[in-house]
Amino acid sequence: MQKEEQVSFLAEKIRQADAVLIGGGSGLFSAAGYNHYHWLPYMEECLQDFKEWYGLKSPFDGFYYCYSSPEQQWAYYARYIQSMWDAPTGQPYYDLRDIVAEKEVFVLTTNIDMQFERIFQKERICDYQGNIGYFQCSQPCHDQIYSNVKMIRRMNENIRELRVTSELLPRCNECGRIMVPWVRDDTFLEGKDWREGVRRYENFLKKYLMNGTDKNVVLLELGVGEMTPSIIKLPFWEMTYKNEKVFYACLNQKKSSDPEHIKDKGIYIAGDLAETLRDLKENIAGKEM
């Protein structure tokens, strides 16, 4: 099928669906004009002075750079995180909202950038890798995460020579250790907030994909790479294989893996993800008029 035919075919599958499970990866964030792995205009403008001084190859390069002091590290963290808070909601996310507007929907995402939270209610999202809008204790000594927007803005207002002052370093109220962004690493807190997100996801699966349910479900995989396939990609393949009424759709910039065991129950649409979602929205809207 040509891409236009593929989009029309997927639109019909979504129209017939009782529910849509979205698997959102970093490619969707990139389609919105942002990127953690390459310099695109928005992020480069926000972080230009750090990029030039440290010779950073990407925004994530700066996130994992070995700085000489916490004051230098947190100057970068503060600017980087504020860029996420301030980033306008990407058009692909608005298009996605319209595509699934009439459906029961849930989002499983490995993204940490807070874009999905602009579009869908918290109860419909599982941030499996965390959310950069929160801090946690680096130990962690207790089970709580904290919205960081006020601390981040204060640090940004006080960056001097690519450093923040020592007194502005975010410290845990319980043990005094420096806090860290609530994103997946060796200190990641899989506490009550993370478990609640996983529980929401499992409840959605129980309702629409388990216990002999007779529901038509579309698994909509968007911009998911193969760095951590065990979170979205492989489970989506397994659910498609095991459930007669599940249909799998993989939308990505480039052609993705095409597993033999679900070749008759899936579609793979390669190309600019922003354009694909726009076309999909227009197709669904056109048929509903």
Side-chain angles (χ1 to χ4, degrees):
M1 285 190 287
Q2 298 295 316
K3 185 177 179 182
E4 183 178 346
E5 296 174 300
Q6 289 180 310
V7 169
S8 180
F9 183 80
L10 177 55
E12 184 59 30
K13 286 291 185 181
I14 292 173
R15 278 191 288 271
Q16 295 172 1
D18 297 297
V20 177
L21 174 58
I22 296 167
S26 62
L28 183 59
F29 189 61
S30 298
Y34 314 117
N35 198 301
H36 298 295
Y37 304 102
H38 302 91
W39 289 112
L40 294 182
Y42 173 78
M43 301 289 285
E44 186 168 18
E45 182 178 350
C46 291
L47 299 163
Q48 182 68 38
D49 45 356
F50 290 92
K51 176 191 175 187
E52 293 179 355
W53 183 259
Y54 293 107
L56 303 176
K57 295 179 175 62
S58 70
F60 257 14
D61 189 28
F63 196 80
Y64 293 106
Y65 188 89
C66 186
Y67 296 93
S68 299
S69 69
E71 290 80 6
Q72 291 172 306
Q73 181 182 47
W74 272 97
Y76 185 82
Y77 279 5
R79 185 79 65 75
Y80 182 80
I81 295 171
Q82 182 161 319
S83 75
M84 298 293 96
W85 278 110
D86 293 345
T89 306
Q91 185 60 43
Y93 291 87
Y94 287 120
D95 292 341
L96 180 59
R97 177 195 61 189
D98 295 341
I99 288 166
V100 299
E102 303 301 321
K103 305 299 175 180
E104 286 295 315
V105 63
F106 194 86
V107 176
L108 171 66
T109 183
T110 52
N111 294 351
I112 61 170
D113 41 61
M114 302 180 282
Q115 289 276 315
F116 275 117
E117 282 76 6
R118 317 271 187 86
I119 298 300
F120 298 107
Q121 297 175 332
K122 178 181 178 181
E123 291 72 23
R124 294 178 179 268
I125 301 173
C126 174
D127 290 313
Y128 198 85
Q129 303 284 55
N131 184 315
I132 206 164
Y134 292 89
F135 287 159
Q136 63 162 86
C137 174
S138 58
Q139 194 164 219
C141 72
H142 66 294
D143 186 0
Q144 189 169 349
I145 59 176
Y146 303 86
S147 176
N148 61 31
V149 62
K150 291 183 179 179
M151 288 182 279
I152 286 297
R153 296 206 184 283
R154 188 179 177 199
M155 279 190 275
N156 271 280
E157 290 167 359
N158 291 277
I159 293 175
R160 303 289 184 271
E161 297 181 349
L162 305 187
R163 298 169 181 260
V164 297
T165 57
S166 299
E167 58 268 22
L168 289 181
L169 295 174
R171 292 193 176 274
C172 175
N173 293 329
E174 301 294 326
C175 71
R177 287 176 180 261
I178 293 178
M179 292 197 286
V180 294
W182 186 56
V183 299
R184 179 73 62 177
D185 66 4
D186 57 353
T187 65
F188 182 63
L189 176 62
E190 291 188 355
K192 59 181 177 62
D193 290 278
W194 184 84
R195 292 194 301 270
E196 286 174 3
V198 172
R199 189 176 303 115
R200 292 192 293 267
Y201 175 49
E202 291 173 344
N203 287 340
F204 182 89
L205 296 184
K206 289 176 183 177
K207 182 176 181 180
Y208 290 103
L209 288 136
M210 298 180 183
N211 302 321
T213 60
D214 190 31
K215 304 291 186 181
N216 291 311
V217 180
V218 170
L219 307 185
L220 192 59
E221 182 188 297
L222 304 173
V224 175
E226 298 183 356
M227 183 180 297
T228 53
S230 62
I231 299 173
I232 296 174
K233 189 174 288 291
L234 296 181
F236 275 29
W237 289 357
E238 183 178 11
M239 286 186 281
T240 303
Y241 179 69
K242 290 184 176 180
N243 293 274
E244 182 180 349
K245 292 200 169 184
V246 167
F247 184 81
Y248 169 73
C250 177
L251 280 56
N252 218 327
Q253 181 74 25
K254 297 180 180 180
K255 188 71 167 65
S256 185
S257 300
D258 187 356
E260 182 71 18
H261 64 297
I262 59 169
K263 67 177 183 178
D264 296 326
K265 299 183 65 179
I267 193 168
Y268 303 81
I269 304 179
D272 187 292
L273 185 53
E275 292 181 4
T276 303
L277 290 173
R278 181 199 63 203
D279 294 345
L280 187 58
K281 180 189 74 170
E282 291 176 354
N283 190 293
I284 289 175
K287 290 290 181 63
E288 291 176 350
M289 291 177 62

